[in-house]
C-alpha cells in the first residue's frame, strides 16, 4: 500500500531523472501534483521521460560533470517552474572492473559523475532552493559503506556522496535546507541490476536470498521514501543516509562477485 502525498504547488527537480530509480521518483512526484523537471545528458531519454510527467513536466539536457550546464539547467527550470522545493541528485555511473585493470580515466569518470556531479548540482542549486523549506536528496549506494570487489570507483565516489550530504546538512541547515541521502538495495528492472547482478531466474533467486524481506525492491519503494523525505512529515530529518533495501545492504557482495565472474569469463 502506498502512502499518499500531496505536492501540489511545489517544484521537484530530478537530475538523472530519465531512467530507472530516478525516473520513478520524478513520476511519483508528478503523480502527487508537483511541477517536475528532469535533467539528463541524452536528449532522447529526456524527451521520453518528460512525456510521462504530464503537462507540468519539463525535460532539460545537461551533463552533471559540466558545472555551467548544470547552472543553466537550474536557471531554466526555475524560470519555467518556480523555486525548487525538492531537489534530487541521482546521476550515476557504474561498471564491473578489478582495480588493477581499471585505468585512472575509468575511475575518474565515475567519481566525476557521482561525486563531483553531486557537488555541482547542490552548489549551483542553493540559490534556487525555496528559502526556509527545501529538501535536497542524494541517491547513494551500499558501496558507500560496504567494500565490494570490482567496485573501487563506486565505493570511493559514493562514500564521498554520503559525507557531502552530512556536511551540507550542517552548513545549510540554518538556511532551512534539509539534506539527506537514500541508499537503494537491489531494485528490479534497473540498469544497475543488469550491470551488477547475475541475470535470469537463477540470478534473481540469488539476489532474493540475500534480502531478508525475500524480494527485490521496486522503483516505487524508493519513490515513496523520496517523497517522505521531501514532505513536511520529514521536517526534522536532515544529515541522514537511509537504506531502502529490505535489510540487505551488508550482504550484497555475493551478487557482485557472481555478476563479475560471469562478465570476466566472457572477456
Amino acid at each position: 500500500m502506498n502512502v499518499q502525498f500531496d505536492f501540489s504547488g511545489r517544484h521537484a527537480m530530478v537530475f538523472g531523472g530519465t531512467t530507472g530509480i530516478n525516473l520513478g521518483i520524478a513520476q511519483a512526484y508528478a503523480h502527487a501534483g508537483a511541477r517536475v523537471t528532469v535533467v539528463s545528458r541524452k536528449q532522447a531519454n529526456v524527451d521520453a521521460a518528460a512525456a510521462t510527467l504530464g503537462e507540468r513536466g519539463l525535460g532539460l539536457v545537461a551533463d552533471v560533470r559540466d558545472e555551467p550546464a548544470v547552472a543553466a539547467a537550474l536557471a531554466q527550470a526555475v524560470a519555467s517552474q518556480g523555486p525548487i522545493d525538492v531537489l534530487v541528485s541521482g546521476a550515476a555511473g557504474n561498471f564491473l572492473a578489478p582495480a588493477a585493470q581499471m585505468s585512472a580515466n575509468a575511475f575518474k569518470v565515475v567519481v566525476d559523475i557521482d561525486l563531483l556531479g553531486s557537488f555541482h548540482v547542490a552548489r549551483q542549486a542553493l540559490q534556487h532552493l525555496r528559502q526556509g523549506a527545501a529538501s535536497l536528496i542524494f541517491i547513494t549506494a551500499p558501496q558507500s559503506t560496504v567494500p565490494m570487489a570490482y567496485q573501487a570507483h563506486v565505493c570511493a565516489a559514493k562514500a564521498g556522496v554520503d559525507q557531502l550530504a552530512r556536511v551540507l546538512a550542517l552548513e545549510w541547515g540554518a538556511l532551512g535546507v534539509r539534506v539527506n541521502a537514500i541508499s537503494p538495495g537491489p531494485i528490479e528492472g534497473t540498469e544497475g541490476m543488469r550491470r551488477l547482478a547475475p541475470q535470469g531466474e537463477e540470478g534473481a533467486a540469488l539476489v532474493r536470498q540475500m534480502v531478508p524481506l525475500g524480494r527485490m525492491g521496486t522503483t516505487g519503494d524508493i519513490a515513496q521514501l523520496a517523497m517522505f523525505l521531501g514532505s513536511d512529515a520529514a521536517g526534522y530529518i536532515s544529515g541522514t543516509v537511509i537504506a531502502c533495501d529490505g535489510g540487505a545492504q551488508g550482504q550484497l557482495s555475493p551478487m557482485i562477485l557472481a555478476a563479475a565472474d560471469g562478465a570476466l569469463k566472457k572477456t
Side-chain angles (χ1 to χ4, degrees):
M1 180 180 70
N2 287 341
V3 177
Q4 299 301 309
F5 294 92
D6 184 1
F7 285 92
S8 300
R10 301 189 189 187
H11 178 197
M13 189 168 184
V14 185
F15 278 80
T18 59
T19 58
I21 288 170
N22 299 308
L23 177 58
I25 292 172
Q27 291 172 331
Y29 271 104
H31 184 71
R35 301 182 299 277
V36 178
T37 303
V38 292
V39 185
S40 185
R41 64 188 180 88
K42 294 183 179 180
Q43 185 70 60
N45 288 350
V46 168
D47 292 342
T52 71
L53 300 176
E55 61 182 13
R56 294 183 299 272
L58 174 67
L60 300 173
V61 175
D63 188 326
V64 295
R65 293 171 291 184
D66 182 345
E67 189 172 15
V70 169
L74 285 159
Q76 186 175 347
V78 170
S80 175
Q81 305 272 60
I84 301 166
D85 298 277
V86 181
L87 176 67
V88 179
S89 179
N94 200 348
F95 51 86
L96 294 165
Q101 298 175 21
M102 190 187 310
S103 69
N105 185 63
F107 188 94
K108 183 178 183 295
V109 165
V110 170
V111 172
D112 282 355
I113 296 172
D114 290 37
L115 180 53
L116 187 59
S118 294
F119 177 75
H120 288 162
V121 169
R123 174 66 184 85
Q124 291 300 322
L126 180 59
Q127 63 184 307
H128 300 298
L129 297 177
R130 189 176 297 280
Q131 294 185 359
S135 174
L136 168 56
I137 303 168
F138 293 108
I139 305 300
T140 182
Q143 289 92 325
S144 67
T145 58
V146 181
M148 299 185 190
Y150 310 109
Q151 292 284 277
H153 46 342
V154 179
C155 289
K158 291 302 191 182
V161 170
D162 285 7
Q163 286 294 75
L164 178 62
R166 295 181 180 110
V167 170
L168 295 185
L170 293 174
E171 294 189 3
W172 295 357
L175 303 175
V177 178
R178 295 183 296 106
V179 186
N180 296 288
I182 296 173
S183 182
I187 305 300
E188 63 184 1
T190 61
E191 182 63 24
M193 289 302 292
R194 285 187 286 273
R195 288 174 178 258
L196 303 179
Q199 300 302 293
E201 180 50 39
E202 185 175 336
L206 173 64
V207 175
R208 290 194 294 269
Q209 289 172 9
M210 291 184 290
V211 180
L213 291 185
R215 70 171 177 89
M216 282 189 270
T218 68
T219 57
D221 290 322
I222 307 302
Q224 284 281 296
L225 177 53
M227 287 196 294
F228 167 69
L229 289 175
S231 75
D232 296 339
Y236 202 55
I237 299 175
S238 192
T240 65
V241 178
I242 302 178
C244 188
D245 67 343
Q249 293 236 334
Q251 306 179 63
L252 295 177
S253 290
M255 178 187 80
I256 301 289
L257 290 172
D261 183 61
L264 294 175
K265 284 180 179 178
K266 295 176 182 178
T267 60

